[in-house]
Amino acid sequence: QIAAKLVIMETIRLAHALGAEIRGIDITANPSEREIKAIRSIWHKHHVIVFRDIKWSPAAHIAFSRRFGDLDDHKALPNESLPGYPELLEVTNIPKDGKPSPTRATGRNWHSDFSYTSQPAAYSMLYCTKAPSVGGDTMFCNMAQAYNELSPKLRGILEDLHAVFDFNLVAGARYRTANNLAELTNINPPIAHPAVRTHDESGVRALYISERVSHFDGMTKAESAPLIQYLCMHATRHENIYRHTWRVGDLICWDNRTVMHLALGDFSHSEQRHMLRTTIKGARSGYQVSKYSARE
Ligand code: SIN
């Protein structure tokens, strides 16, 4: 009789609001279903999980990510994947084909991945292959806690609102060529998602807004702006954040249904920062709105 492999994982909390490092498991050694279930449950509890000192190939990164769901092939961002691996988005300041990297400013405002699409990301797994000597951290905030801490009255108002996500508000948009931006806004027209969503696995309610929201559907931009600003400020208060300082070999996994994140640009651009991200598809959500859906 073969004894069942014992799952002894250690969870070390990284911040008050969210984030935990998982030790005691080798994720490169084809974890069992039981171990994947245990990781998923820690992930839902802490929203962001970190594994250190991972050495693996692009194929192993993809294989591990697949254990948590179907992978996005990043068609929303053509030509930004690692050549030969559509499932791996390359986030880097290293020039590509002699031109500045199109992803050199990716993630530089608070957001949840692929919120500007009709199938926003469930999870993301970002692996660091090159980190600057200082800076280039990533911050995460807890959107479930942000929702819980709102007054019941405002929570009630938000239940009726759909937030319109606009690709033009993606931080890196202004670093793109006009042609590339036109192509991407064409692929990703404005889309409205409920401002509060229910996590389809854990049942947790969380705010779903970001700095990429242009307005609430049916409201004017002027009416929407103070509320968007307030909600972003409320969600990103210091006490609601985990800030990660990268080391090569770190794998950070976040749940886009309960977390917003922000990549900081505070590092020397003479140094290289290179990350590979898999994106696990979430449920279909929202409806497309016309560019002019904001009331005048
Ligand atoms: C992202 O927004 O997915 C990238 C985050 C980072 O580069 O830190």
Side-chain angles (χ1 to χ4, degrees):
Q1 198 186 343
I2 302 164
K5 210 162 90 185
L6 216 57
V7 183
I8 310 174
M9 284 188 226
E10 198 188 346
T11 304
I12 296 120
R13 283 182 63 199
L14 297 170
H16 174 64
L18 73 168
E21 181 180 335
I22 299 183
R23 293 188 194 160
I25 179 170
D26 181 1
I27 60 166
T28 66
N30 192 23
S32 67
E33 263 320 301
R34 198 163 153 212
E35 287 168 322
I36 295 292
K37 204 171 155 201
I39 292 171
R40 200 188 281 272
S41 134
I42 298 169
W43 200 348
H44 289 164
K45 180 166 175 207
H46 296 281
H47 310 286
V48 173
I49 51 173
V50 177
F51 299 94
R52 300 271 196 182
D53 302 315
I54 306 296
K55 290 185 187 70
W56 62 9
S57 61
H61 182 171
I62 292 169
F64 178 67
S65 308
R66 275 216 176 100
R67 305 290 300 275
F68 296 89
D70 292 338
L71 299 193
D72 202 293
D73 56 5
H74 303 119
K75 285 214 172 64
L77 297 170
N79 310 317
E80 296 185 12
S81 292
L82 187 68
Y85 297 95
E87 305 91 343
L88 281 176
L89 194 70
E90 216 176 1
V91 181
T92 186
N93 64 344
I94 303 174
K96 205 173 177 177
D97 306 326
K99 295 192 196 116
S101 163
T103 57
R104 66 196 183 284
T106 287
R108 298 271 171 83
N109 59 1
W110 284 103
H111 68 285
S112 172
D113 289 332
F114 285 161
S115 50
Y116 50 80
T117 74
S118 59
Q119 194 161 17
Y123 302 113
S124 299
M125 294 188 172
L126 192 65
Y127 176 59
C128 178
T129 69
K130 285 184 199 312
S133 52
V134 283
D137 294 357
T138 305
M139 302 211 289
F140 301 88
C141 73
N142 183 338
M143 297 300 271
Q145 186 155 302
Y147 172 72
N148 287 335
E149 289 174 347
L150 293 172
S151 64
K153 194 79 184 170
L154 184 49
R155 287 207 296 258
I157 292 169
L158 291 169
E159 293 297 333
D160 280 342
L161 297 183
H162 278 77
V164 178
F165 292 77
D166 182 348
F167 192 89
N168 285 290
L169 298 178
V170 167
R174 67 177 177 278
Y175 294 90
R176 293 175 182 277
T177 61
N179 279 350
N180 183 225
L181 184 58
E183 181 197 1
L184 293 176
T185 48
N186 203 27
I187 297 173
N188 303 296
I191 182 144
H193 294 294
V196 180
R197 300 202 311 162
T198 305
H199 193 292
D200 47 335
E201 294 177 78
S202 67
V204 161
R205 302 275 287 154
L207 258 187
Y208 198 69
I209 50 98
S210 82
E211 291 182 341
R212 299 175 176 183
V213 169
S214 59
H215 62 282
F216 294 106
D217 194 21
M219 287 171 60
T220 66
K221 288 195 174 174
E223 285 169 340
S224 308
L227 185 51
I228 297 166
Q229 213 175 4
Y230 170 73
L231 293 170
C232 288
M233 191 194 71
H234 167 76
T236 60
R237 285 164 304 139
H238 297 171
E239 55 271 34
N240 201 32
I241 281 179
Y242 165 59
R243 176 172 176 157
H244 186 79
T245 299
W246 290 94
R247 292 198 314 229
V248 169
D250 285 351
L251 175 76
I252 304 218
C253 313
W254 62 89
D255 190 332
N256 289 287
R257 294 160 292 189
T258 52
V259 167
M260 278 202 296
H261 62 284
L262 167 76
L264 296 171
D266 60 337
F267 62 99
S268 161
H269 295 289
S270 62
E271 292 193 86
Q272 296 186 337
R273 185 178 187 274
H274 184 267
M275 309 275 174
L276 292 172
R277 190 186 94 195
T278 50
T279 313
I280 290 107
K281 286 181 186 172
R284 294 211 161 268
S285 164
Y287 53 87
Q288 262 178 33
V289 292
S290 119
K291 204 167 162 183
Y292 306 104
S293 87
R295 286 175 66 91
E296 296 303 319

